[in-house]
Amino acid sequence: MSELEIAGYRFRDEALFVAALTHSSYLHEHPEEDVRDFERLEFLGDAVVDLVVGDELFRRFPRAAEGELTTLRAGLVSSGPLAGVAKELGLPGRARLGRGEEETGGRARVGLAASLYESFIGAVYVEAGFDRARRMVLETMADLLDDVASSPTKSAKTLLQEWAQGERRPLPTYRVLEATGPEHRRGFVVEVEVEGNVARGTGASKREAQEEAAARLLEMMTS
């Protein structure tokens, strides 16, 4: 494998390749290096991954409602699955980290691995354009996408809880803000919170409102 190659893609721009694998902690300890960290590329890659996965789910599940598609996408683009792909590609092992980040186990962090995957996709997008970046996402996430198509979908509440645990955040808390209507035509407004981040959902049952709120918060936290 070429030194500038990831997942079969060989970068022409070495500076771009290096930036995609450079954590901010490394630059804090090496201010003499004229290179950026991966955060700007991560920002782009996050948008590309969201769009590609959303488009692919839209095509694969023509009968799925918006809420179902949102839940599916949120589960696929959350830190855990993306970190798994990054580890398969060997990205954490090639990342440039500062000594402090290294010594505190940064290379094994789920969040770092997911960020590296997004920065890699962002770098491919910058150098080769959207079509090539799209192919890279579909190639590297093929198993995850196939698993979604062949297995039962997890609920948004389950996915949000798994995300919170993976990120070492407090577990989600749900609050019923409003319950209206007669017994046979109830309407609920529910709020969910994780560490100060809040989203609301509505539904004909508390469960339905909780699911909508969880899907919205998960999308907010993983986008």
Side-chain angles (χ1 to χ4, degrees), residues 66-78:
E66 182 268 344
E68 295 174 282
L69 294 173
T70 296
T71 299
L72 287 170
R73 182 179 62 181
L76 286 168
V77 304
S78 61

Side-chain angles (χ1 to χ4, degrees), residues 2-13 127 132:
S2 166
E3 182 182 346
L4 301 181
E5 184 178 319
I6 300 174
Y9 179 82
R10 190 180 190 283
F11 284 88
R12 301 184 301 276
D13 185 338
E127 183 170 89
R132 185 66 185 91

Side-chain angles (χ1 to χ4, degrees), residues 137-190:
V137 171
L138 294 179
E139 289 167 9
T140 55
M141 296 186 67
D143 288 345
L144 291 173
L145 288 163
D146 289 344
D147 286 345
V148 165
S150 62
S151 61
T153 304
K154 291 183 179 180
S155 71
K157 288 184 65 177
T158 298
L159 291 171
L160 181 61
Q161 179 169 315
E162 290 178 351
W163 173 85
Q165 291 172 325
E167 293 292 311
R168 298 183 179 179
R169 306 283 187 97
L171 292 179
T173 57
Y174 295 86
R175 292 180 289 274
V176 176
L177 301 182
E178 189 177 335
T180 59
E183 198 65 37
H184 64 285
R185 290 185 59 188
R186 299 285 274 172
F188 292 88
V189 178
V190 169

Side-chain angles (χ1 to χ4, degrees), residues 29-98:
E29 297 176 13
H30 300 83
E32 74 282 357
E33 289 202 20
D34 184 22
V35 65
R36 288 184 179 272
D37 61 39
F38 62 56
E39 291 179 359
R40 283 169 54 83
L41 293 172
E42 178 190 2
F43 167 78
L44 269 183
D46 174 74
V48 172
V49 171
D50 270 6
L51 176 57
V52 172
V53 171
D55 177 69
E56 185 67 10
L57 292 173
F58 183 85
R59 296 171 187 275
R60 290 194 184 203
F61 300 96
R63 296 183 180 276
E66 182 268 344
E68 295 174 282
L69 294 173
T70 296
T71 299
L72 287 170
R73 182 179 62 181
L76 286 168
V77 304
S78 61
S79 296
L82 296 188
V85 177
K87 290 173 182 176
E88 288 178 5
L89 300 180
L91 298 182
R94 300 176 73 177
R96 301 202 305 167
L97 307 180

Side-chain angles (χ1 to χ4, degrees), residues 156-158 160 174 192 199 209-219:
K157 288 184 65 177
T158 298
L160 181 61
Y174 295 86
V192 61
Q210 288 173 343
E211 285 293 326
E212 182 175 295
R216 288 180 175 176
L217 184 57
L218 189 58
E219 183 175 31

